[in-house]
Amino acid sequence: MSATTTEGRPAPADASAAAPRQGPLANIRVLDLTRVRAGPTAIRQFADWGADVIKIESPQYMEVSDGWGGLRDGPDFQNLHRNKRSLTINLKDPRGLAIFRRLVEQADVVAENFRPDVKFRLGIDYESLKAINPRIVYASISGFGQDGPYAKRPGFDHIVQGMGGMMSVNGHADNGPTRAGIAVADVAAGLFCALAVMTALLERASSGQGQWVQVSLLQAMISMLDFQAARWLMNGDIPVQAGNDHPTSIPTGVYPTADGWINIAAGEQAMFARLVKAMGCEELMAVPEYSTEEGRSEHRTALNAELSRRTREHGSAHWLEVFERGSVAAGPINRMNEVFEDPQVRHLQVAQTLQHQTLGAIQVVGQPFQLSRTPSQMRSVTPLRGEHTDEILAEAGYSEQDIAGFYADGVI
């Protein structure tokens, strides 16, 4: 639970731990109503690139969590909500709603991932806020869309992986439908939402008008199917589970070694030629069944058995060195600790360090892209619930007396 003062206000964090806010989005203010994963994934893109992101939460006494219960100091929550300020408001109180509406006047983006009907009940839907600020870009993430037969269903990543086709092509057929080991629908929806909001902001620069951005987990999941979806739409092919093999490009998959496993990707003709040369089995190129990309895909079981018999003769390090010299696409299969110990990952500075007020030094996952002049920032850890309430309300023009009264009445 967050530390609080005797007045019920959050105890301030060490201000020296936060760097000044700057970056390419420093002139953008986001009111963040999102919860759980998809929405916070979207808004993290703004927070890391300098936007003033105000995370709006319910007051502590309402006992409404962000969807993570008591795990605010856990790795997931800390990774999702860094670089934000936190403001508590009871949006069901007319005075709390008035505070929110005042903030909308000076905001650029409002983001929410409630069930579609909730925003209308609260009076914070796009049309209501557009009347206050026509330039507002309003982002909504839902499980299945803002309308339609499934609109009111609760949307969860696991459910959408199944409905969106992912589980029908993932894993081994013998094991049945298999979910991905990451929240692929949630994360994809969040990233698509961020891209959509950026697009709307870019358009606003010429039109002067905001708009309503809508993203669903279901649409994001289907979009992520990419070529697998296109195979059905264009050719009527229904993709099946291919295990660790590529659906069409063979040999691409996982191969056993004397001490573990490695990945090889050599389906393309020139790459396959380099593979068999590096392995000393160039005679495989002369086998009619393996001489073309189509043939290798059709006869994948026999070809994989041939290659696996050879890869088992030496350890993973041996083969990776051989393939490196031969310009063959291959790589280790790392556990999470090995991922972050990898020299290239260290060079790219994927892990970023922040100083937490109670946990000490923590590491989070940094941005996956770089800008040469305006890099992303890891300025501050996830705020305490309501940590910046006084500061934000003062900026909005409320007096100390006003703020004290809000606390006393449970408005904030």
Side-chain angles (χ1 to χ4, degrees):
M1 183 177 293
S2 302
T4 57
T5 67
T6 55
E7 299 172 322
R9 306 184 185 192
D14 181 3
S16 65
R21 184 173 57 82
Q22 57 187 14
L25 301 181
N27 64 331
I28 299 296
R29 172 174 277 195
V30 180
L31 302 182
D32 178 15
L33 293 163
T34 67
R35 304 170 63 249
V36 192
R37 185 178 311 284
T41 296
I43 303 308
R44 179 174 57 191
Q45 297 304 108
F46 294 86
D48 286 2
W49 296 97
D52 179 17
V53 176
I54 299 175
K55 178 172 172 53
I56 295 175
E57 307 184 68
S58 298
Q60 184 73 47
Y61 77 87
M62 295 180 72
E63 297 184 347
V64 177
S65 77
D66 193 275
W68 299 107
L71 301 179
R72 193 179 189 92
D73 287 347
D76 206 1
F77 201 94
Q78 290 294 317
N79 193 51
L80 282 169
H81 295 288
R82 73 272 184 120
N83 292 333
K84 300 179 181 181
R85 298 194 288 170
S86 176
L87 165 69
T88 52
I89 309 176
N90 179 359
L91 289 173
K92 296 180 180 180
D93 187 305
R95 292 166 295 178
L97 185 59
I99 292 171
F100 180 75
R101 288 173 174 268
R102 182 182 293 195
L103 293 174
V104 169
E105 294 174 8
Q106 300 301 318
D108 298 283
V109 178
V110 170
E112 60 85 21
N113 60 345
F114 303 126
R115 290 195 194 184
D117 59 326
V118 171
K119 55 183 157 290
F120 296 100
R121 293 206 310 266
L122 292 174
I124 57 171
D125 56 280
Y126 172 63
E127 291 296 332
S128 297
L129 301 189
K130 176 185 175 183
I132 300 169
N133 179 358
R135 292 174 55 82
I136 202 74
V137 173
Y138 190 104
S140 294
I141 300 180
S142 63
F144 304 100
Q146 295 298 307
D147 47 35
Y150 301 161
K152 292 185 178 181
R153 290 186 184 181
F156 288 90
D157 178 271
H158 188 112
I159 304 301
V160 172
Q161 284 194 33
M163 293 181 67
M166 171 73 175
M167 292 173 66
S168 75
V169 299
N170 191 45
H172 295 271
D174 291 345
N175 295 332
T178 306
R179 68 177 294 275
I182 60 172
V184 61
D186 276 339
V187 172
L191 293 177
F192 284 136
C193 182
L195 177 60
V197 171
M198 299 286 189
T199 303
L201 289 172
L202 185 63
E203 191 278 338
R204 190 185 70 174
S206 57
S207 70
Q209 297 293 308
Q211 53 188 309
W212 188 9
V213 169
Q214 300 177 36
V215 180
S216 74
L217 270 65
L218 182 59
Q219 289 170 288
M221 184 71 266
I222 295 171
S223 180
M224 289 290 285
L225 293 178
D226 195 48
F227 75 97
Q228 295 281 49
R231 290 173 64 190
W232 162 251
L233 293 173
M234 293 287 291
N235 299 332
D237 294 338
I238 300 178
V240 297
Q241 291 169 282
N244 286 320
D245 286 346
H246 188 277
T248 59
S249 182
I250 300 298
T252 298
V254 175
Y255 294 86
T257 67
D259 57 5
W261 305 85
I262 58 172
N263 269 322
I264 298 173
E268 190 267 331
Q269 197 73 356
M271 186 66 75
F272 183 65
R274 293 204 293 270
L275 171 71
V276 295
K277 181 179 179 181
M279 295 183 69
C281 54
E282 291 176 274
E283 69 275 9
L284 292 178
M285 281 294 290
V287 177
E289 291 84 356
Y290 307 153
S291 62
T292 65
E293 294 180 24
E294 293 80 6
R296 291 193 293 275
S297 183
E298 182 180 352
H299 300 280
R300 64 180 60 203
T301 300
L303 176 57
N304 282 338
E306 286 276 0
L307 295 176
S308 295
R309 180 173 61 82
R310 290 170 169 82
T311 56
R312 284 193 182 96
E313 295 174 357
H314 301 284
S316 298
H318 167 86
W319 285 119
L320 293 175
E321 182 180 345
V322 167
F323 294 147
E324 180 80 13
R325 291 198 307 265
S327 297
V328 177
I333 300 174
N334 290 330
R335 293 173 297 177
M336 204 59 64
N337 61 311
E338 295 167 324
V339 170
F340 287 97
E341 291 166 0
D342 184 280
Q344 185 66 26
V345 174
R346 288 182 178 273
H347 172 77
L348 294 171
Q349 299 181 326
V350 176
Q352 296 280 306
T353 302
L354 287 168
Q355 193 67 33
H356 192 275
Q357 52 265 45
T358 57
L359 301 175
I362 64 172
Q363 289 192 312
V364 295
V365 182
Q367 282 290 332
F369 63 93
Q370 294 83 39
L371 301 182
S372 61
R373 289 188 297 101
T374 54
S376 62
Q377 279 188 303
M378 291 296 120
R379 298 182 308 277
S380 59
V381 296
T382 293
L384 302 175
R385 186 198 292 249
E387 180 179 330
H388 304 94
T389 297
D390 293 28
E391 172 183 299
I392 294 166
L393 293 185
E395 292 171 358
Y398 290 100
S399 68
E400 289 187 11
Q401 184 176 3
D402 292 332
I403 296 170
F406 291 148
Y407 276 115
D409 294 342
V411 177
I412 56 178

